[in-house]
Amino acid sequence: MNNPFTLSGKTILVTGASAGIGRGIAVACAGMGAQVILTARNTERLQETLSQLEGDGHSYIAADLTNEAERRVLVEQLPMLDGVVQCAGVGNRVPCKMLMQEDLDRVMKPNTEAPMLLQSLLLSEKKLKKQASVVFIASAAATMPVAGNAVYSASKAALVAYAKCLAQELASRQIRVNCISPAMVWTNLIKEDLSMEQLKRAESTYPLGRFGKSEDIAYLSIYLLSNASEWMTGNDIEITGGSLIG
């Protein structure tokens, strides 16, 4: 039987690939035979990710996706793509009554605006092959409200809504667009605003007994990037360990 989950022969761009979920996805894609192109801001950490990839032909392009000029340079250097995983993003916890413009800019620009504008550029420059797959890493926080997490939740909810519209627009070219919405995953991102004690207490409430790992999200990404999901588009898949809290 042929393996429907193989990524052999596919070229895949992974944003936010210097750490965390993005790194996990890049490593998993390479392990399934893909040629992976990494991008993020930090060159040293991109090199670390590159060193972990199986196989040959992988590469990285350092870019700040919130910067229009750097987005354009990135896209100009890309070959035709079979898949894109948009994983770059930041977190920020601030009560609604204390929101400032800088809080909105800090989260909305990398989490919502940058992936939308990068996607627009990929399409206008015709970098996606017919039957390509686009995956956005959103968050269960989009539909699972937590006090102090309003801006982050809103940034991911907007991304999900955008992806669903994009799926409709690209369906005629057989290009699939889906989102993955994880609950808490053990990455440096979740350690920025919460203490280890708070995180461990929250983890103990998860029905499966733990937060997610980057590999959990990577394996779902492989399914969405592979031909196994060729009849799946416009979906937002929650992966939460059974938790009802994002």
Side-chain angles (χ1 to χ4, degrees), residues 160-194:
V160 171
Y162 162 82
K164 288 177 178 287
C165 292
L166 182 65
Q168 294 293 313
E169 294 184 17
L170 299 184
S172 63
R173 294 175 54 195
Q174 300 295 301
I175 296 175
R176 313 187 308 283
V177 183
N178 293 287
C179 293
I180 297 175
S181 287
M184 299 286 267
V185 176
W186 278 115
T187 66
N188 288 334
L189 182 64
I190 68 170
K191 300 175 184 177
E192 292 179 358
D193 298 306
L194 297 172

Side-chain angles (χ1 to χ4, degrees), residues 13-18 37-47 50 59-67 69-75 77-78:
L13 171 69
V14 181
T15 77
S18 60
I37 303 170
L38 315 168
T39 189
R41 292 176 296 179
N42 189 300
T43 299
E44 183 177 346
R45 292 192 306 196
L46 282 171
Q47 291 172 341
L50 186 66
S59 61
Y60 71 86
I61 304 169
D64 179 353
L65 298 182
T66 66
N67 182 292
E70 294 192 30
R71 282 196 304 270
R72 289 192 173 277
V73 171
L74 167 66
V75 172
Q77 297 180 69
L78 292 173

Side-chain angles (χ1 to χ4, degrees), residues 12-30 36-40 45-46 49 52-53 84-91 111 135-141 152 156 159 179-192 206 210-222 224-225 237-240 246:
I12 295 171
L13 171 69
V14 181
T15 77
S18 60
I21 293 174
R23 174 176 285 180
I25 290 171
V27 169
C29 286
V36 183
I37 303 170
L38 315 168
T39 189
R45 292 192 306 196
L46 282 171
T49 302
Q52 297 177 27
L53 304 187
V84 179
V85 184
Q86 296 240 31
C87 193
V90 302
N111 287 11
V135 180
F136 292 95
I137 305 301
S139 172
Y152 179 77
K156 294 300 188 175
L159 192 63
C179 293
I180 297 175
S181 287
M184 299 286 267
V185 176
W186 278 115
T187 66
N188 288 334
L189 182 64
I190 68 170
K191 300 175 184 177
E192 292 179 358
Y206 276 48
R210 66 172 176 84
F211 286 166
K213 299 179 292 186
S214 60
E215 294 94 330
D216 297 317
I217 315 308
Y219 299 150
L220 182 52
S221 298
I222 286 171
L224 293 175
L225 291 165
I237 306 170
E238 293 184 351
I239 178 168
T240 67

